[in-house]
């Protein structure tokens, strides 16, 4: 794995695909255990665009029926959270009386995930679980529990496996961290 350059900034290798696959096996095992033999069909909610790869990877490991739904949210500009959560695409399914499992790429301040949880309950969701591939506990500032976390990482800006720097870098199968400027 070599360094990559996106919009003039360099990023170095951080989490290899093999490790990510193991992290996702783990998360999926925990979800399967909690939803084993469920009689309803929970909604798997992909937070576009970042969670696209993670959602596909988790979904193919699940051993109960799910319905896939998406929403597009964004709060980052460049390498910084703006604190304002925009919703360029709303929920693609009705969540009323349904159990929802949110799939997110990374939880940072928690603004996105908490706003989404509130939206889902306001639309009548029966239960909401949050599953995030990665989390930055140093900056997380909300009381809400993140039900399934793949891996905790330090507060650094990363790209790859769906995560972007101003829309670039999503296609890499490994994760890269920004080099000190
Ligand atoms: P939060 O609302 O501050 O928790 O930020 C979460 C959202 O910001 C995620 O859905 C990501 O899309 C994005 N984000 C947070 N940290 C990073 C990062 O290190 N790289 C790329 N995107 C990030
Ligand atoms: Mg995202």
């Amino acid at each position: 794995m070599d360094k990559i350059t996106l919009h003039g900034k360099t990023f170095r290798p951080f989490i290899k695909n093999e490790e990510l696959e193991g992290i996702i096996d783990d998360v999926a095992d925990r979800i399967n255990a909690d939803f084993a033999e469920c009689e309803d069909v929970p909604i798997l909610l992909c937070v576009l665009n970042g969670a696209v790869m993670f959602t596909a990877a988790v979904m193919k490991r699940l051993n109960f029926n799910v319905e896939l739904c998406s929403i597009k949210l964004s709060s980052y500009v460049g390498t910084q959270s703006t604190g304002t959560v925009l919703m360029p695409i709303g929920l693609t399914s009705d969540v009323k009386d349904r159990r929802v499992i949110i799939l997110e790429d990374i939880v940072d301040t928690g603004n996105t995930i908490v706003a989404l949880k509130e939206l889902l309950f306001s639309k009548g969701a029966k239960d909401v679980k949050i599953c995030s591939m990665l989390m930055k506990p140093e900056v997380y500032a909300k009381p809400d529990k993140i039900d399934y976390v793949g891996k905790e990482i330090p507060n650094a800006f990363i790209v790859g496996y769906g995560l972007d720097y101003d829309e670039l870098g999503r296609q890499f199968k490994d994760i890269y961290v920004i080099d000190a400027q």
Side-chain angles (χ1 to χ4, degrees), residues 51-123:
V52 150
M53 282 199 197
F54 179 57
T55 300
V58 170
M59 196 173 175
K60 65 188 172 190
R61 289 165 165 85
L62 297 183
N63 55 25
F64 56 97
N65 286 327
V66 289
E67 185 181 317
L68 182 62
C69 170
S70 301
I71 188 168
K72 184 168 182 181
L73 300 176
S74 69
S75 62
Y76 254 63
V77 173
T79 63
Q80 293 295 320
S81 170
T82 60
T84 308
V85 182
L86 303 176
M87 185 171 64
I89 301 176
L91 287 168
T92 60
S93 311
D94 185 2
V95 297
K96 191 163 170 23
D97 297 327
R98 305 291 296 274
R99 290 202 288 172
V100 180
I101 306 167
I102 300 172
L103 292 183
E104 179 57 304
D105 50 2
I106 188 162
V107 173
D108 183 2
T109 62
N111 289 332
T112 304
I113 218 72
V114 168
L116 179 53
K117 217 173 148 179
E118 281 168 11
L119 172 77
L120 292 165
F121 281 125
S122 78
K123 301 273 181 197

Side-chain angles (χ1 to χ4, degrees), residues 144-160:
D144 303 62
K145 175 172 167 248
I146 308 300
D147 303 276
Y148 309 98
V149 177
K151 185 184 170 83
E152 295 187 343
I153 63 164
N155 183 21
F157 188 77
I158 59 167
V159 294

